[in-house]
Amino acid sequence: MRIIALSTLKAFWEHDAAYSDATEPTLAWYRHALKADWAAPVDVKKDFRHASILKDGRVVFNIAGNKYRLVVWINYAYRVVYIRFIGTHAQYDQIDVQTV
Protein backbone atom coordinates (compact mmCIF):
# COMPACT_ATOMS: atom_id res chain seq x y z
CA MET A 1 0.00 0.00 0.00
CA ARG A 2 1.09 3.56 -0.56
CA ILE A 3 0.60 5.70 2.55
CA ILE A 4 -0.03 9.44 2.49
CA ALA A 5 1.68 10.64 4.65
CA LEU A 6 4.19 9.51 7.23
CA SER A 7 4.73 13.17 8.09
CA THR A 8 1.26 13.27 9.69
CA LEU A 9 2.28 10.55 12.12
CA LYS A 10 5.65 12.17 12.83
CA ALA A 11 4.00 15.52 13.51
CA PHE A 12 1.79 13.87 16.12
CA TRP A 13 4.51 12.29 18.23
CA GLU A 14 7.03 15.12 17.72
CA HIS A 15 4.58 17.93 18.54
CA ASP A 16 4.07 16.92 22.17
CA ALA A 17 6.45 14.84 24.29
CA ALA A 18 3.40 13.28 25.97
CA TYR A 19 2.72 11.41 22.73
CA SER A 20 6.25 10.11 22.22
CA ASP A 21 5.08 6.65 23.32
CA ALA A 22 3.09 6.51 20.08
CA THR A 23 6.25 6.51 17.96
CA GLU A 24 7.01 2.79 17.87
CA PRO A 25 3.39 1.56 17.64
CA THR A 26 2.58 3.94 14.79
CA LEU A 27 5.78 3.02 12.96
CA ALA A 28 4.90 -0.65 13.39
CA TRP A 29 1.46 0.01 11.89
CA TYR A 30 3.08 2.02 9.06
CA ARG A 31 5.58 -0.72 8.20
CA HIS A 32 2.83 -3.34 8.22
CA ALA A 33 0.51 -1.24 6.05
CA LEU A 34 3.29 -0.56 3.53
CA LYS A 35 3.65 -4.29 2.91
CA ALA A 36 -0.10 -4.95 2.86
CA ASP A 37 -2.25 -5.40 -0.22
CA TRP A 38 -5.72 -4.38 0.89
CA ALA A 39 -8.17 -4.80 -1.97
CA ALA A 40 -11.24 -4.65 0.27
CA PRO A 41 -12.21 -3.97 3.90
CA VAL A 42 -12.14 -7.70 4.62
CA ASP A 43 -8.40 -7.67 3.90
CA VAL A 44 -7.86 -4.96 6.51
CA LYS A 45 -9.84 -7.02 9.06
CA LYS A 46 -7.63 -10.03 8.34
CA ASP A 47 -4.55 -8.01 9.30
CA PHE A 48 -6.10 -5.91 12.08
CA ARG A 49 -9.09 -7.68 13.57
CA HIS A 50 -9.83 -4.80 15.96
CA ALA A 51 -9.95 -2.21 13.19
CA SER A 52 -13.31 -0.53 12.78
CA ILE A 53 -14.50 -0.46 9.19
CA LEU A 54 -16.66 2.57 8.51
CA LYS A 55 -18.50 3.66 5.40
CA ASP A 56 -16.85 5.25 2.36
CA GLY A 57 -13.45 3.63 2.88
CA ARG A 58 -12.81 4.98 6.37
CA VAL A 59 -11.03 2.73 8.86
CA VAL A 60 -10.18 3.34 12.52
CA PHE A 61 -7.18 1.55 14.01
CA ASN A 62 -6.39 1.20 17.71
CA ILE A 63 -2.75 2.11 18.33
CA ALA A 64 -0.52 1.49 21.37
CA GLY A 65 -2.84 -0.86 23.18
CA ASN A 66 -5.91 1.22 22.31
CA LYS A 67 -4.39 4.41 23.76
CA TYR A 68 -4.56 6.22 20.42
CA ARG A 69 -6.87 6.19 17.43
CA LEU A 70 -5.70 6.36 13.83
CA VAL A 71 -8.27 7.26 11.17
CA VAL A 72 -7.47 6.57 7.53
CA TRP A 73 -9.30 6.69 4.24
CA ILE A 74 -8.40 3.84 1.90
CA ASN A 75 -8.71 3.93 -1.86
CA TYR A 76 -8.77 0.18 -2.36
CA ALA A 77 -8.67 0.31 -6.17
CA TYR A 78 -5.40 2.27 -6.18
CA ARG A 79 -4.01 0.73 -2.97
CA VAL A 80 -3.56 4.14 -1.30
CA VAL A 81 -4.03 4.87 2.40
CA TYR A 82 -4.59 8.50 3.39
CA ILE A 83 -3.93 9.27 7.05
CA ARG A 84 -6.71 11.59 8.17
CA PHE A 85 -6.28 11.76 11.97
CA ILE A 86 -4.25 10.42 14.86
CA GLY A 87 -4.94 11.29 18.47
CA THR A 88 -6.02 10.15 21.89
CA HIS A 89 -9.47 8.74 22.56
CA ALA A 90 -10.55 12.10 24.00
CA GLN A 91 -9.37 13.89 20.85
CA TYR A 92 -11.04 11.24 18.68
CA ASP A 93 -14.34 11.77 20.50
CA GLN A 94 -14.27 15.45 19.45
CA ILE A 95 -14.05 14.82 15.70
CA ASP A 96 -16.48 13.69 13.06
CA VAL A 97 -14.66 10.66 11.74
CA GLN A 98 -16.47 10.82 8.40
CA THR A 99 -15.32 14.37 7.65
CA VAL A 100 -11.72 14.57 8.88
Side-chain angles (χ1 to χ4, degrees), residues 6-23:
L6 178 60
S7 61
T8 304
L9 299 176
K10 285 183 180 179
F12 176 70
W13 71 68
E14 290 176 352
H15 176 72
D16 189 333
Y19 305 140
S20 64
D21 63 333
T23 304

Side-chain angles (χ1 to χ4, degrees), residues 49-63:
R49 64 185 176 102
H50 294 294
S52 299
I53 306 297
L54 307 178
K55 62 183 178 180
D56 299 327
R58 299 282 176 147
V59 181
V60 180
F61 295 94
N62 297 316
I63 303 292

Side-chain angles (χ1 to χ4, degrees), residues 2-100:
R2 182 171 171 222
I3 303 172
I4 313 286
L6 178 60
S7 61
T8 304
L9 299 176
K10 285 183 180 179
F12 176 70
W13 71 68
E14 290 176 352
H15 176 72
D16 189 333
Y19 305 140
S20 64
D21 63 333
T23 304
E24 286 306 314
T26 53
L27 283 175
W29 174 88
Y30 180 83
R31 287 188 291 267
H32 186 95
L34 273 178
K35 295 176 184 174
D37 183 24
W38 298 327
V42 68
D43 298 325
V44 175
K45 286 297 269 187
K46 286 179 187 174
D47 284 350
F48 295 95
R49 64 185 176 102
H50 294 294
S52 299
I53 306 297
L54 307 178
K55 62 183 178 180
D56 299 327
R58 299 282 176 147
V59 181
V60 180
F61 295 94
N62 297 316
I63 303 292
N66 210 18
K67 186 174 181 180
Y68 301 104
R69 292 279 174 99
L70 173 64
V71 179
V72 303
W73 177 74
I74 302 175
N75 182 324
Y76 293 100
Y78 290 98
R79 305 299 199 271
V80 180
V81 177
Y82 298 89
I83 297 172
R84 306 302 299 154
F85 169 86
I86 183 166
T88 64
H89 275 267
Q91 293 164 337
Y92 173 83
D93 289 341
Q94 295 176 11
I95 65 165
D96 178 356
V97 72
Q98 290 299 141
T99 60
V100 295

